[in-house]
Amino acid sequence: MSNRKDPPGSQPFMKRPDNTAFKQQKLPAWSPTLKAETVLPFFFLSGVACILIGVLICITAAGVQEIKVDYTEESDCTDCYSLRLDRANSIIDCACTVSFSLSEAFKGDVFMYYGLANFHQNQRHYMVSRDNAQLVGRQYNLKNPSITCIPFDKYKNGTPIAPCGAIANSIFNDTLQLFYHPDKNTETPVPLLKTDISWFTDRTVKFQNPSPKANLTAAFAGTARPFYWWKPVYQLSEEENNNGFMNEDLIVWMRQAAFPSFKKLYRRLNRTQEFNDGLPAGNYSVKISYNYPVGKFKGRKSVILSTVSWLGGQSNFLGVAYCASGAIILIVAIILTVVHLKFKKKSLGLEEE
Amino acid sequence: MSFFGLDCRRKKEKEEERHLRANDREFNLTFQYATNAIKTSKYNLFTFLPMNLFEQFQRIANAYFLFLLILQLIPEISSLSWFTTVVPLMLVLTATAAKDAIEDFNRHKSDSQVNNRQVKVLMDGQLKSEKWRNVQVGDIIKLENNQFVTADLLLLSSSEPLSLVYIETAELDGETNLKVKQSLTVSGDMGDDIEALAAFNGEVRCEPPNNRLDKFTGTLIFKEQKYSLDNDKILLRGCTLRNTEWCFGLVIFAGPETKLMQNCGKTTFKRTSIDRLMNVLVLWIFGFLALMCIILAIGNGIWEYQKGFYFQVFLPWPESVPNSAFSAFLTFWSYVIILNTVVPISLYVSVEIIRLGNSFYIDWDRKMYYPRSDTPAEARTTTLNEELGQIKYIFSDKTGTLTQNIMTFNMCSINGKSYGEVLDFAGQRMEITERTPKVDFSFNRLADPKFVFHDHSLVEAVKLEILEVHAFFRLLSLCHTVMPEEKKEGELLYQAQSPDEGALVTAARNFGFVFRSRTPESITVVEMGETKTYELLAILDFNNVRKRMSVIVRCPEGKLSLYCKGADTIIYERLHPACKTLKDVTTEHLDEFAGEGLRTLVLAYKDLEEGYFEDWRARHHTASTALEEREEKLDELYEEIEKNLQLLGATAIEDKLQDGVPQTIEQLAKADIKMWVLTGDKQETAVNIGYACNMLREEMNDVFIISANTAEDVREELRNARRKIKPETIEAEPIFEVKQPKNKSAVLPEDTVEGEYGLVINGHSLAYGLEKSMEVEFLRTACMCKTVICCRVTPLQKAQVVQLVKKYKKAITLAIGDGANDVSMIKAAHIGVGISGQEGMQAVLSSDFSFAQFRYLQRLLLVHGRWSYIRMCKFLNYFFYKNFTFTLVHFWYGFFCGFSAQTVYDEWYITLYNLVYTSLPVLGMSLFDQDVSDRWSLEYPKLYEPGQLNMYFSIGSFIKCLLHSIYSSLILFFIPYGAMYDTMRDDGKDLADYQSFALLAQTCLLIAVSIQLGLDTAYWTSVNQLFMWGSLAIYFAITLTMYSNGMYLIFTASFPFIGTARNSLNQPNVWLTILLTTILCVLPVVAYRFSRTELRPTINDKVRYKVSKSKHAPPPQATRARIRRTSSRRSGYAFSHAQGYGDLITSSRYLRKNMATFSPRSKTNAKQPGTVLKTYRAVKDTVVDKTL
């Protein structure tokens, strides 16, 4: 206790700090350390787990069937390729066919993709060249496209473009038709579905037609098609609810790819009749109306058929990466164990004073 | 008052002479002198915003962000939405502005409190109460006792005789002793005659306002007479009136023009070494940023040339871009915007928050709270915490810092018997603690209740009337120059020249020999209850050469005696040969006392023959009136009479160390902190304390004492010392590690020394040692010694020593002191610590940290400092890591998106990453983390060393951190890339789209950096858990909200990521990717850290290992028993002053008044002794300068 006089007018210990765990920095806490007993088992376990996951993924991926046909300059598409090198020829139609065969049947749901390579959908200036407000059907934005769309926002006479922007303007416009050849002379068109190829949220929320929705021609009156399109947006499809901004091909295209090589869902197999179980093995051909010019920038076009698993499409990367990581982790675990057994005793002893 | 131009212009003219007339406001107003209102605040309501913003944008980081903002407004360049920069910038600006506003508000408050103090002003012939702010130059004001002086005043008159006033200058210079000021007689004669004062119309002409506290020149013209004015007639603002009923003064300088205000405002801004390093690193980062941007810009140029040009079918170049080179140029700036996160704006704010938090911990620490004076520790500067963990040199004051400046009478040896120890039944010495029974002095009415003694046998000896014991205490009660003050009957107060003397006289008082009063010719003593008056015949005073003092008195019985006390060596030479055996026993005791670091005096006496004395006295009289060689003649006479003395015994006085000082010093030494004591005291005392607190030890190889008088001798002595320590360093010129060639600042490398050495240097030699030509020599020698003690140093030298070390050693210094004389070194050192509650406030006011006891220093450094340092380093390492990793992912993505400055993440994520998602967890770590608890930190002071060596955060660790980030960012980009680029959802739909990838990449990043933080955190409190999991939860919550339909439909342009979270986070391969990136980011770190602890464990690892093994906290530090040793070294004699004032006492110059009025109880009588004492004290204080 204080044996000195307290300062007048104040109680003793007035300024004494509170004795709380927080203020005294004594909050209860867990202080883990990297101990061999925890670190080494952890390493072994995660190594084994990685390998197991890797093997599982590899097996799954192996079950997925996929075929990719690059038709950029394939067979008679070569002519079309050359034709499309000159923009002046863009009004000339060009069709070609590529054939391929499936050695095994593609069981289950089969998806048809178009693939583009060396196509920079992720270029910043390209990415921003769209107007989401327009695509969600806002009247004002429909007539006044965002400046981000420049130079694909308006015609010279001031007519606004719908949908505006470089992305919509450059929509992939090859048509691909898949045929099955049970024998040399038969040509059965494979039934394909155009719908439900885009994200649910995209086609229900992100893309909306302007009103009146029942009459798209009226709705889009006063706007014009993008420069490179042949028909206005309200004629993209004959189906009522797959038209205008809500056309799924447009929606799929508008979801920009992250990397310069990508594939986009084009059609789904309609599992009817002989295609009930998927695509049978045999010969197939794709009839292409070759419109999309990629020659100038050395792009590649392909058509891809694939089945899916719970992991999605065929991708060996994850499986291999897991296996490799697991192996490395196991090796490291062994090294650490050796190190631990050899040096444990020597170093951590604290010389007592 | 007037506004605008005219007066402002006039104010700017330099005032050359101040001219004012008392009681004439109109006249004085023509000069536009400042009024007494002070303003320390910076802003007012209207100027706050513009001024504060202007100040803030002077900071480089803020200016940089403003620059970014401008860049973002250029559409060709803008690669990010404006809000990514504006939101953080606004937050930073607001936080800083709020802090500034609060600080300024407090200044406003204290200003208005000061400005609204009341003082009595003479106006229109009446005294009126006025606020301070309304006082003007030329006013006459009345001050009362204990009031603060309102402005700089010319003293006119006072209540005390001779128009004296006593003032305390603690606020001004920290000295608590009283100073005397005296007014001119002409004004003093007015007294408190209001009419006369109101009619007073003296004119003053004096110097313009300045900041010299000790100088004033001016003249007073009154009734056509000129009087010169000097500093003795001026009362400065900031002083306090003491022991003076009232006084009148004329305001000369007011408000901002007072010397106090002119002196403040120039505070040097201290920065920590981490601050400086950070500034360097920020430059590096700018370089790094530029490098990345250049690479990407070149990439863009090539890409646009090779591909972009042909891709123009679908994406034509804007009209503003004529070619790929220009595109590259624009891209450069675009990337400057995107990659701006490497230059961390929130870093500065976070650093401030962390420092503030850690400062609060210091304020809150109960273990640094001193209950006796109710003083908690205080972090006065909140920006230096981490430097507390890096201290290498401590410069300490002695008096009041290491010692309490209290002397206690601890032991004595009387006639060959030692008293003062407490023995238990077995005859073993017992440690004296608080609980040891104290001696009861109740038999003595006049005893000092504060005096404590533990050995009962001495009281018994007194009561048994043992002759020698009585003679011993009689000597103590007679032979001194102490002044008594007896305000109330029986309440004695001693005014001693040195605390040692006070202690001795107090001891005698308690043992029944009460020194009651003195006159120039007599000393009244109450001996065992019986009042006796001794005739004081002569005082043979103390000085540094004589090292002894004697008095010659005549007992009431008529016997003549000489009583002498002094240093043992001196007295021993003058003893009667018959004392031989007693001398031997006493010597033994002296050694014992000395071994405990006590200050000793030997007491002796001698009876004089009447005849001889009369003869001596006559010769003494002649000598003392001699005109030539008076000193020598007197010395000779003294020498002659102080011979053949009879030994009585010895006293041992403890210069009481503060509690725990030796232990603290030992702890700090273990932490490899070097301690230098810089003291104004004399060498013997300083060395004595050095031994007492274990800085100097008997076992040391050598203790060098440098006390030469010429530069050459000093150099030689320094070299000799080095020759002994390490001969090879004599010839070799010191090799400087050149730190920065352009600054020409060199670093003196550390010399490794075997053995322990001590160095004691006095102020005289130090002056040479600090000269340019010798400073390196001095520093090298000093740094080889374990302990350095500089004695008799001036305040300026203290600062010079600190600066010398700062200059040549790449080390952090700390200065600790309590008095005004320590202010200079406290300001000079990296960190200044003030001991509060002892000698005024000056040291505390200029310090960065303050607490009440020296021993708290170990907690401040070893616990708080260390934690702060570790926390700050962990914070910085992690902060740079997380920001680099974040940014580098953009860099890698540049190679895939045509170098088009496309971001990888959602813009909102970029905005919120630093502010929301990762801020709290890292703050939590930097506020709560502790590698080991405080107990263990104190148990292993070695844990402190990494801080001194800058081990946790340096350029090296920064590069390590950069490499780690590069690795992590590669994983965080390429694993998701590999996993995503060719895949689709389980329903065949898109998953490799930009938005899904962005979400995946940002989720991977956040989880990886969160787990990295988890690895860095050593101390998981619930708050840390909450912050960590909370931040992750908030991330998902915010992400799902922002990607929701509602947000999209309301703010279509801002939230284009609608549905991304729902569509991709339900995919198993997304989660598998997240898991893999996490594993690959974390496991290498774990492996590295684990094998480092196994292969090359740091002291930290070792202690943590030990902590994890032992279930309990270490036992509380045993309060170690005092190290006992006997020593051949004789301790310094117990006089802490340079020269005695026997003259003063006997000359009756100061006592005459006292004598004249000491008789009957007149009205003035009651006050007079007080006046005398005050005068005595004041004179004493002006002469005994503690610092000299």
Side-chain angles (χ1 to χ4, degrees), chain B residues 995-1160:
Chain B
Q995 294 187 338
S996 300
F997 179 73
L999 178 71
L1000 174 62
Q1002 67 201 32
T1003 310
C1004 287
L1005 172 75
L1006 191 66
I1007 290 177
V1009 295
S1010 295
I1011 293 185
Q1012 176 63 40
L1013 181 79
L1015 282 181
D1016 286 347
T1017 306
Y1019 192 74
W1020 284 90
T1021 64
S1022 44
V1023 184
N1024 290 87
Q1025 302 272 10
L1026 180 76
F1027 281 175
M1028 175 96 159
W1029 301 115
S1031 286
L1032 283 176
I1034 280 175
Y1035 165 70
F1036 284 107
I1038 289 183
T1039 305
L1040 286 171
T1041 311
M1042 287 198 306
Y1043 296 178
S1044 67
N1045 302 353
M1047 290 299 271
Y1048 182 72
L1049 293 175
I1050 299 167
F1051 308 105
T1052 310
S1054 305
F1055 300 103
F1057 274 60
I1058 176 195
T1060 312
R1062 278 170 281 170
N1063 279 297
S1064 72
L1065 290 182
N1066 62 4
Q1067 293 300 306
N1069 61 353
V1070 166
W1071 289 105
L1072 284 171
T1073 312
I1074 293 173
L1075 178 68
L1076 183 63
T1077 52
T1078 309
I1079 287 176
L1080 288 180
C1081 280
V1082 169
L1083 283 189
V1085 181
V1086 176
Y1088 170 72
R1089 294 202 179 159
F1090 176 71
S1091 48
R1092 198 192 52 197
T1093 35
E1094 294 272 306
L1095 290 174
R1096 207 176 293 162
T1098 60
I1099 172 77
N1100 222 297
D1101 297 325
K1102 290 180 184 173
V1103 174
R1104 288 196 72 181
Y1105 182 75
K1106 191 175 161 66
V1107 173
S1108 69
K1109 285 281 162 224
S1110 66
K1111 293 281 173 281
H1112 307 285
Q1117 275 182 303
T1119 38
R1120 241 153 291 179
R1122 187 125 188 206
I1123 306 113
R1124 298 194 56 82
R1125 57 202 147 80
T1126 48
S1127 158
S1128 54
R1129 187 191 53 84
R1130 202 56 49 75
S1131 63
Y1133 46 94
F1135 280 111
S1136 57
H1137 54 272
Q1139 174 85 41
Y1141 296 98
D1143 283 353
L1144 214 95
I1145 288 166
T1146 46
S1147 73
S1148 68
R1149 202 167 113 211
Y1150 292 94
L1151 296 175
R1152 185 155 296 140
K1153 224 188 239 174
N1154 190 7
M1155 288 299 293
T1157 51
F1158 200 62
S1159 42

Side-chain angles (χ1 to χ4, degrees), chain B residues 475-738:
Chain B
L475 188 152
L476 289 182
S477 67
L478 291 173
C479 179
H480 55 79
T481 55
V482 170
M483 294 290 288
E485 186 175 7
E486 192 167 358
K487 279 195 177 151
K488 264 198 262 164
E489 179 77 18
E491 261 183 42
L492 273 171
L493 205 71
Y494 291 140
Q495 288 290 334
Q497 246 177 287
S498 74
D500 303 54
E501 280 219 302
L504 290 174
V505 181
T506 308
R509 168 180 168 186
N510 276 46
F511 285 104
F513 288 77
V514 186
F515 165 61
R516 193 87 186 257
S517 65
R518 74 154 76 233
T519 70
E521 284 96 26
S522 71
I523 296 175
T524 309
V525 180
V526 183
E527 280 183 12
M528 304 305 289
E530 188 185 330
T531 307
K532 284 186 179 175
T533 304
Y534 288 83
E535 194 183 336
L536 178 61
L537 298 170
I539 294 181
L540 285 57
D541 209 354
F542 171 84
N543 72 29
N544 259 334
V545 183
R546 283 166 42 77
K547 299 187 177 178
R548 63 188 185 271
M549 83 167 279
S550 307
V551 290
I552 301 173
V553 291
R554 191 193 300 278
C555 309
E557 296 88 35
K559 206 170 72 178
L560 273 177
S561 306
L562 178 143
Y563 291 109
C564 179
K565 63 180 183 189
D568 45 13
T569 45
I570 305 281
I571 303 279
Y572 274 16
E573 287 167 13
R574 290 167 179 77
L575 288 184
H576 195 270
C579 304
K580 176 85 178 63
T581 42
L582 180 56
K583 196 165 120 184
D584 291 343
V585 182
T586 309
T587 309
E588 241 171 68
H589 291 158
L590 278 174
D591 288 346
E592 207 175 292
F593 298 158
E596 280 171 47
L598 302 177
R599 313 219 271 203
T600 56
L601 276 182
V602 172
L603 311 186
Y605 79 103
K606 159 183 183 185
D607 290 331
L608 296 174
E609 286 165 31
E610 195 73 41
Y612 169 76
F613 177 68
E614 284 310 323
D615 171 47
W616 183 85
R617 198 180 194 182
R619 282 187 286 143
H620 178 248
H621 184 76
T622 334
S624 58
T625 50
L627 294 174
E628 284 168 14
E629 298 182 332
R630 188 193 300 165
E631 294 285 310
E632 288 78 5
K633 283 179 183 160
L634 280 177
D635 275 349
E636 239 168 73
L637 275 174
Y638 291 168
E639 199 71 31
E640 178 199 315
I641 201 165
E642 289 166 331
K643 250 195 318 207
N644 292 331
L645 303 173
Q646 298 292 324
L647 182 60
L648 262 179
T651 59
I653 282 185
E654 186 181 358
D655 185 356
K656 249 198 150 157
L657 289 177
Q658 292 194 3
D659 294 340
V661 166
Q663 289 92 323
T664 305
I665 288 175
E666 198 187 326
Q667 284 279 76
L668 295 176
K670 275 192 208 157
D672 204 22
I673 299 173
K674 297 208 170 150
M675 177 106 173
W676 293 26
V677 173
L678 308 176
T679 174
D681 254 329
K682 57 194 174 55
Q683 190 173 314
E684 287 84 353
T685 333
V687 169
N688 194 23
I689 288 299
Y691 277 100
C693 55
N694 260 335
M695 293 179 63
L696 296 174
R697 278 185 299 270
E698 284 292 310
E699 315 86 81
M700 278 187 153
N701 299 42
D702 210 342
V703 175
F704 307 107
I705 293 180
I706 314 284
S707 56
N709 281 323
T710 66
E712 271 323 296
D713 291 352
V714 172
R715 187 188 298 275
E716 204 37 55
E717 287 188 15
L718 287 171
R719 280 174 165 257
N720 281 340
R722 265 224 324 281
R723 201 164 283 140
K724 266 193 183 161
I725 303 172
K726 209 176 177 188
E728 62 268 30
T729 60
I730 292 295
E731 300 313 320
E733 273 298 301
I735 308 131
F736 289 105
E737 294 165 13
V738 177

Side-chain angles (χ1 to χ4, degrees), chain B residues 446-472:
Chain B
L446 292 167
D448 182 350
K450 277 181 277 182
F451 183 81
V452 175
F453 203 74
H454 297 284
D455 188 357
H456 294 266
S457 59
L458 188 54
V459 187
E460 277 147 31
V462 173
K463 284 183 182 163
L464 288 172
E465 304 197 356
I466 296 171
L467 221 57
E468 286 82 3
V469 176
H470 276 210
F472 182 88

Side-chain angles (χ1 to χ4, degrees), chain B residues 306-419:
Chain B
Q306 288 185 342
K307 287 192 184 162
F309 179 75
Y310 302 102
F311 195 63
Q312 289 202 62
V313 201
F314 292 133
L315 186 69
W317 286 349
E319 283 163 27
S320 54
V321 179
N323 54 34
S324 56
F326 191 70
S327 164
F329 172 74
L330 291 181
T331 306
F332 177 83
W333 296 111
S334 301
Y335 269 115
V336 168
I337 296 174
I338 285 197
L339 304 181
N340 76 65
T341 39
V342 280
V343 182
I345 187 174
S346 53
L347 176 75
Y348 291 98
V349 183
S350 309
V351 163
E352 293 300 308
I353 294 174
I354 292 165
R355 286 181 178 153
L356 193 68
N358 283 313
S359 305
F360 276 126
Y361 285 134
I362 292 172
D363 296 347
W364 287 334
D365 195 338
R366 271 166 90 96
K367 290 188 179 142
M368 298 208 296
Y369 163 80
Y370 190 55
R372 286 210 186 158
S373 57
D374 193 23
T375 338
E378 190 187 354
R380 300 176 46 85
T381 311
T382 55
T383 53
L384 300 172
N385 303 57
E386 76 270 3
E387 215 154 53
L388 287 175
Q390 299 184 278
I391 305 293
K392 184 81 189 160
Y393 287 90
I394 292 180
F395 300 92
S396 174
D397 177 38
K398 185 193 77 69
T399 318
T401 306
L402 298 177
T403 64
Q404 300 177 351
N405 208 14
I406 296 175
M407 305 294 162
T408 53
F409 178 82
N410 248 25
M411 297 220 239
C412 59
S413 155
I414 304 174
N415 200 24
K417 188 170 184 320
S418 167
Y419 298 94

